[in-house]
Amino acid sequence: MRWKAARKRYIAPIVLILADAILAVCIWGLAYVIQDIWGRGPLSEVAVGSMAPAIAVWVALRALLGMYPGYGLDAVEELRRHTFSLLAALGVLAIFALSFHIGLLLSRMLLGLAFACLLLFAPFLRYLVKRGLNGTGLWGKPIVILSYKGIAANVTDRLKRNWELGYNPVAVFGYHLEAKEQSPESMDDKHALANAVDLARQRAVDTALFAMPHTRREQLAKLVNIASLNFRRVLVEPNLGGITNSAAMARDLGGICALEIEYNLLNPWALRAKRVTDVVATVAGGVLVLPLILVLALLVYLESGAPVFYTDRRMGQDGKLFSCIKFRTMVSDAEALLQKMLEEDTKFREEYSKYHKLRDDPRVTRVGRFLRRTSLDELPQLWNVLRGEMSLVGPRPYLPRESEEIGITQREILRVPPGITGPWQVSGRNRAFFSERVEMDGCYVRDWSMWLDILLLVRTVKTLLFDRAAY
């Protein structure tokens, strides 16, 4: 059993390494072909000979950054490490070229094409490979969970939903929550941990997760110390929900573990970078989608006349109100009709109070239903982005009347401009309660980074193409 588990452990990293190497060879070869078609002449022997070392350096750097297999890395951290490894490999190649005076023999066009293609395609290939490995049962490492009997199911379900992390629960050992009844020396605690150790030895499990956020520090420390004698890796889930973020780092303060939490949105340069990215991407993308906007505007006008656009007052950054623009998807007197429906129909009233929207809204026109299903009704908000009232990615733009329901999270959410897309839009949870959407927006603000925005934009495209129901 242990031999089979050990053999299985090496399959995922080997497959990932081979996939990266094959992709790099294909992209390098494609860059050669494009350069030749472009009429830059035959490649030098140096350019051909640099392929293998460049790929080897890139793969080695990814290995040093822990990306093979990369268990425990979320999508944002993977994207960050992927970009750093590629930049570092390019830097190593440039230093090598300058040191040996062969810079003129290496084509800048070749390097640029290879770099850009790897930057774009390597994350997609990695996701597809992981998905394939997961489907065949070869992705992930087994872990045991030690938690409260009432919380363990939630922890297990969360790890299964986020299968990309690679933590596969193979057993759960429950503890009693009542600290008065269960002391560190209790038989239940000893038996649970002993059983976990026995299972780990039988099935070659080297990772344990303590999801016991309400346990006394002394008791948890004792359990973790005992577990560290038998498990190579021990994860501790602290009672810090709503506080920590993906940028948190462990610090040793004279023997005491502390978490340093960095809030990127308090960095003015980060916000400036976000704004520059919004403007550049909106101008470039706006030129491409302008014909589509004109066609959609014509369809709206032909079905229900003017006005083509619908504006609504929403809360922007720092609570400033602005006019959010959309294609009109409802009949002209939609607001008055809504109030009448809520007064007359209890089911409509209950649904709207939970979700702040209606799934089968009778006020929506035929063209409007198509626009909503494809999320094309949001395209005019590119104008809001250019005006600085919105961002491409951010929390949803809330109505002023929703201010009280947002609660204390409002100050966090209104730190940044609202976005055309955001975390809950791509979460696949279109029917999430209003409170859940607020929670997701709050997490976005705490976790914000340029990497997260890039990831959400990519997931938005995926959602629009393959999972329209999520919107």
Side-chain angles (χ1 to χ4, degrees), residues 267-280:
N267 182 349
W269 286 103
L271 288 176
R272 293 187 187 107
K274 181 176 175 68
R275 177 60 184 156
V276 169
T277 303
D278 281 340
V279 172
V280 172

Side-chain angles (χ1 to χ4, degrees), residues 381-428:
Q381 290 174 12
L382 292 174
W383 178 247
N384 291 120
V385 176
L386 287 177
R387 288 170 56 88
E389 299 163 334
M390 293 184 68
S391 177
L392 291 176
V393 184
R396 69 184 293 263
Y398 288 92
L399 293 164
R401 67 170 181 265
E402 295 172 331
S403 176
E404 186 174 339
E405 294 182 68
I406 298 174
I408 59 174
T409 313
Q410 177 172 299
R411 292 187 62 185
E412 264 187 327
I413 291 176
L414 296 183
R415 279 186 186 177
V416 294
I420 296 178
T421 187
W424 75 266
Q425 290 96 327
V426 301
S427 66

Side-chain angles (χ1 to χ4, degrees), residues 24 27-28 31 86 108-120:
I27 288 178
W28 201 274
L86 202 53
R108 290 190 296 271
M109 180 181 179
L110 175 69
L111 294 178
L113 281 173
F115 174 82
C117 290
L118 279 177
L119 186 65
L120 291 174

Side-chain angles (χ1 to χ4, degrees), residues 213-291:
H214 303 296
T215 301
R216 296 198 313 270
R217 181 179 62 82
E218 296 83 0
Q219 182 177 2
L220 182 59
K222 181 174 182 178
L223 294 173
V224 170
N225 289 334
I226 295 174
S228 66
L229 300 175
N230 300 279
F231 293 94
R232 184 181 175 188
R233 294 180 176 84
V234 178
L235 305 175
V236 179
E237 187 173 295
N239 187 18
L240 294 173
I243 299 176
T244 56
N245 61 18
S246 59
M249 296 184 63
R251 299 295 187 190
D252 183 359
L253 301 183
I256 300 297
C257 178
L259 286 179
E260 178 184 318
I261 303 170
E262 182 177 358
Y263 291 101
N264 293 322
L265 288 174
L266 296 182
N267 182 349
W269 286 103
L271 288 176
R272 293 187 187 107
K274 181 176 175 68
R275 177 60 184 156
V276 169
T277 303
D278 281 340
V279 172
V280 172
T282 301
V283 171
V287 173
L288 298 176
V289 302
L290 182 58

Side-chain angles (χ1 to χ4, degrees), residues 40-228:
R40 294 298 182 92
L43 294 171
S44 65
E45 293 182 0
V46 174
V48 175
S50 63
M51 178 181 71
I55 294 174
V57 168
W58 178 58
V59 172
L61 288 170
R62 289 167 73 84
L64 289 174
L65 290 172
M67 296 188 69
Y68 301 124
Y71 296 142
L73 301 180
D74 61 15
V76 174
E77 183 60 26
E78 276 194 353
L79 182 61
R80 183 186 291 117
R81 296 190 186 195
H82 162 63
T83 306
F84 288 164
S85 67
L86 202 53
L87 288 172
L90 188 64
V92 169
L93 188 60
I95 293 173
F96 174 80
L98 290 174
S99 300
F100 291 91
H101 307 289
I102 58 174
L104 295 176
L105 300 178
L106 288 175
S107 168
R108 290 190 296 271
M109 180 181 179
L110 175 69
L111 294 178
L113 281 173
F115 174 82
C117 290
L118 279 177
L119 186 65
L120 291 174
F121 296 121
F124 290 104
L125 177 65
R126 181 177 175 85
Y127 173 79
L128 292 175
V129 171
K130 289 200 303 184
R131 194 177 185 88
L133 289 170
N134 187 59
T136 56
L138 296 175
W139 173 253
K141 61 187 299 184
I143 69 168
V144 295
I145 298 175
L146 298 103
S147 181
Y148 310 133
K149 293 180 179 179
I151 297 179
N154 176 269
V155 175
T156 302
D157 182 63
R158 183 165 14 107
L159 291 178
K160 288 181 178 179
R161 286 200 314 270
N162 295 276
W163 61 267
E164 300 97 329
L165 293 173
Y167 291 142
N168 300 331
V170 294
V172 176
F173 299 90
Y175 288 82
H176 293 288
L177 180 59
E178 294 78 15
K180 292 182 179 180
E181 298 179 7
Q182 296 297 320
S183 65
E185 293 78 22
S186 71
M187 291 302 295
D188 285 343
D189 285 358
K190 289 181 179 179
H191 286 168
L193 187 52
N195 291 336
V197 170
D198 289 341
L199 179 68
R201 289 173 178 171
Q202 295 171 11
R203 303 185 61 174
V205 180
D206 69 350
T207 304
L209 168 62
F210 284 90
M212 303 165 64
H214 303 296
T215 301
R216 296 198 313 270
R217 181 179 62 82
E218 296 83 0
Q219 182 177 2
L220 182 59
K222 181 174 182 178
L223 294 173
V224 170
N225 289 334
I226 295 174
S228 66

